[in-house]
Amino acid sequence: MARALPRPPKQVDLHADAFLHEIDRYEADELLAASIDLLRESLDAAIYWGYAEIRFVHGRGKGVLRQAVYEELAYYRESGAVVRYHPAYHNEDIVVVVIGL
């Protein structure tokens, strides 16, 4: 029997303090990896559920998370799973991902 992915929210906050407890126990690279894992899980689930789009909050900061998010989305775009992605018109701290499948 196939296992269904849980339905993700339409907007996902990728800041580690939004989904991890005791973030002071993690190294910076572990926090970044956890955020990218959450992006992958949420985007894969959004594709599975047939969402037209999903939004990811990456924030401003030093831009490390934003850069990693855009690099990951480029991979999804190359595979054809994502049509395009762009900063939200009202808030550049959010990337809007248009799903293509």
Side-chain angles (χ1 to χ4, degrees), residues 71-92:
E71 287 174 8
E72 189 65 25
L73 292 175
Y75 171 76
Y76 274 86
R77 185 172 177 195
E78 288 174 14
S79 72
V82 167
V83 174
R84 68 181 179 279
Y85 49 90
H86 57 83
Y89 299 115
H90 67 283
N91 187 345
E92 292 182 1

Side-chain angles (χ1 to χ4, degrees), residues 2-38:
R3 185 174 167 193
L5 295 172
R7 188 180 293 267
K10 301 272 182 177
Q11 181 166 301
V12 180
D13 189 346
L14 297 176
H15 293 97
D17 58 353
F19 62 92
L20 292 175
H21 300 289
E22 300 181 25
I23 63 170
D24 56 331
R25 293 183 171 204
Y26 295 87
E27 297 292 328
D29 60 332
E30 293 173 316
L31 294 172
L32 181 60
S35 294
I36 296 303
D37 285 346
L38 178 60

